Amino acid sequence: QLQLQESGPGLVKPSETLSLTCTVSGGSISSSSYYWGWIRQPPGKGLEWIGSIYYSGSTYYNPSLKSRVTISVDTSKNQFSLKLSSVTAADTAVYYCARLGNVAAVAGSYYYFDYWGQGTLVTVSS
Amino acid sequence: SSQLTQDPAVSVALGQTVSIACQGDTLRNYYASWYQQKPGQSPVLVIYGQNNRPSGIPDRFSGSSSGDTASLTITGAQAEDEADYYCNSRDNNDNHVVFGGGTKLTVL
């Protein structure tokens, strides 16, 4: 059974950089069929896609966060990571990592997040 | 980038059928996927693609699509179905992902 686990500081000071790592177990991050993504959820609010990465290193970022986000992958450790710079209180959220399936077929194309980590609360405060 | 719109709240009587809608231009080109999220828990995929259910998801959950609107239908809603439901899809213009704002389902 595939499992994902987020790790990193739960408290970050304003203007600093938030750094999280997602460790994948029970499967390979180098699978050609999947991307890997970060999603966040501010307290009491909805889900927001942050960005996705393919094992080759290709990245895709939410335009609203692109200037501050870097996602990277370490296939040797079966991990991928998130860095979000210049954080403010608005970046306080539960951060999830998840596996992103990508189907492109004549019958129809779609994305889906099928495995999620448990989420980690990151609070931005001095 | 594209946007997906969901009604903030929907209610259903126990045992009745309810549909939750998700509207957006990208849904003319890509199927939606649907997630159930209960308080304090991670989202769970319930429907993906045209109408696929992951293992372990009850068959009372189904999905459909018409034009720019995707729908999640629960036939015979149970008390345990009370949760927030989110749709998501691929963005029209690139390999981006977009989520709907979520619908809070109350089972009466």
Side-chain angles (χ1 to χ4, degrees):
Chain A
Q1 176 79 341
L2 192 75
Q3 292 186 319
L4 292 86
Q5 178 69 57
E6 305 90 351
S7 59
L11 181 64
V12 181
K13 290 182 169 56
S15 80
E16 295 190 345
T17 296
L18 178 160
S19 295
L20 295 174
T21 295
C22 181
T23 300
V24 179
S25 58
S28 174
I29 203 169
S30 299
S31 170
S32 61
S33 302
Y34 299 98
Y35 294 78
W36 304 89
W38 288 98
I39 303 101
R40 71 179 183 178
Q41 185 172 37
K45 296 188 178 181
L47 301 171
E48 180 182 31
W49 172 71
I50 299 170
S52 304
I53 190 165
Y54 196 53
Y55 77 93
S56 63
S58 298
T59 52
Y60 309 92
Y61 299 137
N62 187 322
S64 68
L65 299 169
K66 185 176 182 178
S67 63
R68 298 193 292 129
V69 172
T70 302
I71 297 176
S72 58
V73 64
D74 186 336
T75 56
S76 67
K77 294 183 179 179
N78 230 31
Q79 294 176 335
F80 62 106
S81 298
L82 168 70
K83 291 187 185 299
L84 181 65
S85 64
S86 304
V87 298
T88 69
D91 295 310
T92 294
V94 175
Y95 285 76
Y96 296 100
C97 60
R99 188 176 79 168
L100 175 60
N102 172 24
V103 173
V106 173
S109 302
Y110 50 92
Y111 279 173
Y112 60 96
F113 290 103
D114 57 351
Y115 288 92
W116 295 67
Q118 66 183 29
T120 186
L121 175 63
V122 179
T123 302
V124 178
S125 176
S126 55
Chain B
S1 59
S2 304
Q3 291 190 355
L4 296 177
T5 301
Q6 297 182 242
D7 290 330
V10 171
S11 62
V12 61
L14 184 68
Q16 296 303 300
T17 296
V18 63
S19 289
I20 298 170
C22 173
Q23 184 178 27
D25 281 343
T26 188
L27 299 179
R28 296 185 184 278
N29 300 314
Y30 301 105
Y31 287 116
S33 295
W34 291 92
Y35 307 84
Q36 176 192 72
Q37 186 181 36
K38 297 181 179 179
Q41 298 183 16
S42 301
V44 173
L45 179 67
V46 294
I47 291 290
Y48 63 105
Q50 188 171 12
N51 184 18
N52 303 306
R53 280 177 290 106
S55 174
I57 300 301
D59 61 5
R60 64 179 179 270
F61 289 89
S62 63
S64 62
S65 183
S66 178
D68 69 348
T69 301
S71 298
L72 172 70
T73 298
I74 307 174
T75 303
Q78 302 299 302
E80 60 264 33
D81 300 333
E82 186 162 288
D84 293 327
Y85 290 85
Y86 295 90
C87 60
N88 94 288
S89 180
R90 178 171 175 171
D91 190 287
N92 255 338
N93 298 320
D94 42 41
N95 293 336
H96 291 181
V97 176
V98 60
F99 278 97
T103 297
K104 182 177 181 60
L105 176 66
T106 300
V107 180
L108 303 172

